[in-house]
Amino acid sequence: MTQGTAQVLAGPPAAAALLDEARRRAARLPHPPHLALVRVGEDPASVSYVRGKAKKASEVGLSSHVHALPGDTTQADLLALIGTLNADPAVSGILVQLPLPAHLDPAPVLLAVHPAKDVDGLHPANTGALWNAHEGLRPCTPAGIMALLAHHGVPVRGARVVVVGRSALVGRPVAGLLLNADATVTLAHRATPDLGAVTRGADILIVAAGQAHLITPDMVRPGATVVDVGINRVPTEDGKGRLTGDVHPDVAHVAGALTPVPGGVGPMTVAQLLMNTVIAAERQHAQTEVTGELVR
Ligand code: ADP
């Protein structure tokens, strides 16, 4: 059997296109959109993610501010800050970096963010809007996946798409976006028997299971498009570890197109966050033009 090599669905050029659009649209607004980044404590990964988001924001002409709260911040103080940011007309978008320290409950915090400023798209008002195909802010990684497919010309309408994973962050919302884009969607998860039989039916296979190399070549229909959302750190001999996806590298010999890890879906997430901030600012601007204030 001759083995092909899948087309690489690279994230960086698709992310650059999204960032260009965000920059162009931001420049058309009377004020630069403003992103409020809230983080609690000094978790090194969170510090670095938030720094990266602020840096990318300034690259596309957005303003941002990092609200760095001490690790012992109370739930009440965190909610008070979010209330202040909700009420501040200069703030377009609010992102609360997760995970929060263990003594804080993330659910009421995410509920407190005004849906019109919820640039993570995780407020139930926005997840409900997504599921009903109403206007709202869409979660960043799922919307980034849709932008990645569109950028590389992968048609979604009518396609048989299998999503492996049903998390609130990726699996569920990407299924909603695909459905809204007229795909034929199957959601598989931990309790799905004979996963390979399901995934082999996919024209487009999206994997967000958090299991290194869960998807092996025998589970992929030849020529299928495979989107690997997994970021797993696996040990290496030098002790540093390396990042690998939920899809086995040999799938490249079967798939028609495949996203690399890293350098596939990853760069889309931050780009979409900034796009969401611009979208939020545009809608707030349009609304204040009509009503004189942001309707709450
Ligand atoms: P993420 O944040 O990347 O979406 P989560 O760890 O929150 O990932 O969710 C993992 C999802 O993957 C769950 O919905 C789970 O049912 C699914 N999953 C995990 N392991 C398997 C497996 N072996 N087979 C099928 N689905 C799996």
Side-chain angles (χ1 to χ4, degrees):
M1 188 178 103
T2 54
Q3 294 195 320
T5 298
Q7 177 198 346
V8 177
L9 301 178
L18 198 54
L19 291 168
D20 274 348
E21 188 188 341
R23 187 182 293 110
R24 259 199 325 271
R25 284 165 59 171
R28 278 198 234 120
L29 287 161
H31 308 285
H34 179 87
L35 175 60
L37 294 155
V38 179
R39 87 173 151 72
V40 185
E42 297 298 323
D43 170 58
S46 294
V47 170
S48 130
Y49 290 150
V50 166
R51 190 184 296 134
K53 290 167 183 176
K55 181 165 171 282
K56 269 275 179 296
S58 77
E59 285 173 20
V60 296
L62 271 56
S63 74
S64 70
H65 184 79
V66 178
H67 300 264
L69 303 180
D72 61 358
T73 297
T74 64
Q75 188 95 11
D77 283 347
L78 178 54
L79 291 174
L81 170 63
I82 291 169
T84 305
L85 297 171
N86 282 340
D88 183 348
V91 173
S92 322
I94 302 167
L95 177 126
V96 181
Q97 183 66 45
L98 300 176
L100 294 171
H103 71 281
L104 297 173
D105 181 0
V109 174
L110 298 181
L111 266 178
V113 174
H114 191 288
K117 297 189 178 187
D118 170 39
V119 284
D120 246 349
L122 298 178
H123 190 287
N126 280 317
T127 57
L130 162 60
W131 202 245
N132 289 311
H134 294 159
E135 185 179 280
L137 291 165
R138 307 307 194 208
C140 298
T141 299
I145 291 168
M146 299 301 286
L148 183 70
L149 291 173
H151 181 85
H152 289 287
V154 178
V156 168
R157 185 163 195 279
R160 287 165 293 192
V161 185
V162 175
V163 179
V164 181
R166 55 174 161 182
S167 72
L169 214 52
V170 184
R172 281 167 204 255
V174 82
L177 287 172
L178 288 159
L179 197 56
N180 294 348
D182 293 330
T184 308
V185 184
T186 303
L187 264 171
H189 47 76
R190 212 179 289 279
T192 302
D194 196 355
L195 185 61
V198 177
T199 56
R200 275 191 295 277
D203 303 316
I204 302 174
L205 177 60
I206 299 185
V207 193
Q211 304 281 325
H213 301 179
L214 172 68
I215 302 299
T216 46
D218 57 300
M219 298 167 78
V220 176
R221 169 202 294 255
T225 295
V226 180
V227 176
D228 187 352
V229 192
I231 302 176
N232 309 288
R233 187 167 286 281
V234 291
T236 49
E237 278 176 16
D238 64 8
K240 286 185 184 152
R242 120 190 114 75
L243 294 182
T244 191
D246 289 355
V247 175
H248 193 284
D250 286 349
V251 167
H253 301 306
V254 179
L258 174 64
T259 64
V261 176
V265 174
M268 302 306 293
T269 300
V270 175
Q272 186 64 47
L273 169 71
L274 303 177
M275 190 68 225
N276 277 356
T277 307
V278 173
I279 292 168
E282 287 172 345
R283 290 182 185 157
Q284 289 157 26
H285 174 64
Q287 196 177 41
T288 30
E289 294 273 277
V290 176
T291 64
E293 60 178 308
L294 180 63
V295 176
R296 301 215 45 203

